[in-house]
Amino acid sequence: MDEHAGGPRAGEGAEPEREDPIVGRDTELARLFRAVDSASDPVLVLLGDAGMGKSTLLDRAVSRAGASGARVLRAEGSESESSLAFSALHQLLRPVSAEVDGLPDRQRAALYDAFGAGPATAGRDPMLIGVAVLSLLSALAGRGPVLVVLDDAQWFDRASLDALSFAARRLAGEPVTMLVAARTGDHLPGFDRRVPTLALGPLEPAAAGRLLDLRPRRPAGRIRSRILAQADGNPLALTELARAAAAHDGPAHPPPTGPLPLTEHLERIFAARLDGLPASTTRALLLLAAMDTVDSAIAVPAALPDTEDDAWLPAERAGLVRRTGRGLRFSHPLVRSAVYHAASADARREAHLALAELLHEEPDRRAWHLAAAATPPGRGRVGGA
């Protein structure tokens, strides 16, 4: 069943706001609600790839907690602040700065010092800062339930993670719930062992189809099949690719060759890891992105021989590709699209021409790549028939 869960927004007497339905996450949402309602697990870590819906689920948990009168503290990690000590903790506790004043002297001074608001000291005491965070959360919980939400925690600075994990391990028996969301595969010091974890995987095919059906312009036919294949069950990708495909709906705007183009939102998410890669890696990634699945067994060994293996190491370290029993593949279909559309039109044409040459004994695939290498009408063509 499609989900339309959640309660009214916080605020006495407020009318419940209509929330967009969440599709295919009944089990996960129920698990979050149990954590919010009963504080049975002081800490719950929500893991999933970019676009899997972690923040959306956290929003529902926040709405649920606010509607029941709980105090909500929330912080969102920022890659640009990940090297600034205590920046995430400062964001989290800034709304309760008045309550900090009620802490014991040493604990209050430790927090003020961590935030650069007190007199300079010879050195910070990480344990004292952790105790201060625990005391503050306990004091807030004395007035009612507290929900602490840490989103994009993979970008939290280490000092904040240490202080928060110290407090989290000592919250048992307190009406405090800490929800921590991070990307799959990222290391969260203090939250990576013996902590209940809820993993968000790809949507099931039926749920992915229902999500597309909710779009204002529901994709159909071949475009629908391409979206489902390219998104690979990623909810954000399904909605954003459907929006992008709508711009190509109709004979005047035929679907583009190769992977569907990403919206600006998805480009920022999936193309960020392309920056700073060596030229040989960028070329290898583009060749792989320009291939169709049926090309890979033939073209990968020919286009990217063993002598170029070093080109793949930066891509593997960046999480863009992974090795499988059948060779190399992108870590997600959206990475393929990001690589393909981040390249210039000339670079894409050169990649398709190179693949056409490699596939000279596969006439149908060669023809396909030559067609993909062709320039728009009126600007000439690249390559031969």
Side-chain angles (χ1 to χ4, degrees), residues 46-324:
L46 185 62
L47 295 176
D49 291 333
M52 283 297 179
K54 300 183 296 296
S55 296
T56 299
L57 291 175
L58 290 179
D59 287 343
R60 293 300 171 87
V62 167
S63 180
R64 177 98 164 191
S68 66
R71 183 69 177 265
V72 178
L73 299 176
R74 185 168 187 170
E76 296 182 6
S78 168
E79 193 170 11
S80 64
E81 294 186 0
S82 60
S83 61
L84 302 178
F86 298 109
S87 57
L89 188 64
H90 180 266
Q91 182 189 159
L92 182 75
L93 300 184
R94 187 177 181 186
V96 292
S97 56
E99 284 83 350
V100 173
D101 291 334
L103 292 174
D105 290 346
R106 291 184 63 210
Q107 294 178 30
R108 181 178 65 249
L111 276 183
Y112 280 145
D113 181 52
F115 299 154
T121 60
R124 293 168 178 152
D125 184 342
M127 182 173 177
L128 186 57
I129 294 171
V131 169
V133 173
L134 177 61
S135 297
L136 179 59
L137 293 178
S138 297
L140 293 171
R143 307 173 194 173
V146 177
L147 176 63
V148 178
V149 177
L150 312 177
D151 198 4
D152 276 330
Q154 74 276 358
W155 289 329
F156 276 30
D157 61 278
R158 177 62 186 267
S160 293
L161 283 173
D162 286 345
L164 289 166
S165 62
F166 177 94
R169 288 191 291 271
R170 293 160 176 81
L171 288 176
E174 302 273 8
V176 179
T177 299
M178 186 178 293
L179 301 180
V180 185
R183 292 186 182 176
T184 301
D186 285 297
H187 178 58
L188 288 183
F191 292 101
D192 52 355
R193 291 186 180 180
R194 298 183 297 278
V195 176
T197 299
L198 179 61
L200 289 184
L203 293 180
E204 294 294 331
R210 291 200 303 273
L211 188 57
L212 288 184
D213 290 340
L214 293 172
R215 302 306 307 160
R217 298 179 66 181
R218 182 175 63 181
R222 185 167 176 266
I223 281 291
R224 182 185 182 92
S225 298
R226 290 178 66 186
I227 291 172
L228 289 169
Q230 191 168 322
D232 196 25
N234 185 298
L236 178 63
L238 287 162
T239 56
E240 293 290 316
L241 288 173
R243 180 180 294 118
H248 299 279
D249 190 17
H253 300 282
T257 300
L260 292 171
L262 304 181
T263 63
E264 184 178 350
H265 187 185
L266 285 178
E267 283 179 355
R268 288 197 303 270
I269 292 174
F270 288 95
R273 287 174 286 178
L274 300 177
D275 295 337
L277 293 175
S280 60
T281 301
T282 301
R283 176 183 178 275
L285 286 171
L286 180 55
L287 283 170
L288 187 62
M291 296 177 195
D292 196 64
T293 305
V294 296
D295 300 333
S296 300
I298 301 172
V300 167
L304 307 162
D306 292 340
T307 55
E308 292 192 29
D309 267 0
D310 286 347
W312 292 114
L313 294 179
E316 288 185 85
R317 294 192 189 105
L320 296 169
V321 297
R322 61 174 180 265
R323 295 183 185 273
T324 68

